[in-house]
Amino acid sequence: MPQLIIEGHGSFVVAPGTRLVNAIEDAGVDILHRCGGFARCTTCRVSFLDGEPDQMTQAEYEKLESKGDLGSYRLSCQCLVQEDM
């Protein structure tokens, strides 16, 4: 099972395939996402210190590119936890 480490909050075991935004919330961290996981608002953006997923959805790519955040952040609503992060 993948391990999610959230800086300042601890480490948590996550079921593979869980959306990162849900894993973060399940860990008790309020991620403040507003659009319901549709890559529209960018309020769930996160940065990775390690374990960033290689793949990105088209919706995530387009939203981050339009906001000028491509390469700086990822949208946790679009990332699946498949390995340690």
Side-chain angles (χ1 to χ4, degrees):
M1 296 269 265
Q3 181 177 356
L4 173 64
I5 299 171
I6 303 173
E7 195 170 76
H9 294 278
S11 111
F12 310 89
V13 174
V14 178
T18 301
R19 284 193 183 266
L20 181 55
V21 71
N22 294 333
I24 293 169
E25 286 184 329
D26 290 347
V29 179
D30 189 3
I31 190 81
L32 301 173
H33 65 103
R34 285 187 250 164
C35 74
F38 295 102
R40 293 189 182 130
C41 66
T42 72
T43 56
C44 71
R45 68 186 174 272
V46 295
S47 59
F48 285 84
L49 299 177
D50 196 21
E52 181 174 345
D54 293 329
Q55 295 185 330
M56 183 179 290
T57 65
Q58 186 67 31
E60 180 183 16
Y61 179 87
E62 290 173 1
K63 180 52 76 174
L64 291 173
E65 184 179 50
S66 74
K67 294 276 191 177
D69 288 334
L70 190 61
S72 299
Y73 298 102
R74 295 292 302 267
L75 299 181
S76 63
C77 71
Q78 298 297 298
C79 297
L80 297 179
V81 179
Q82 300 290 5
E83 53 193 26
D84 292 350
M85 299 179 159

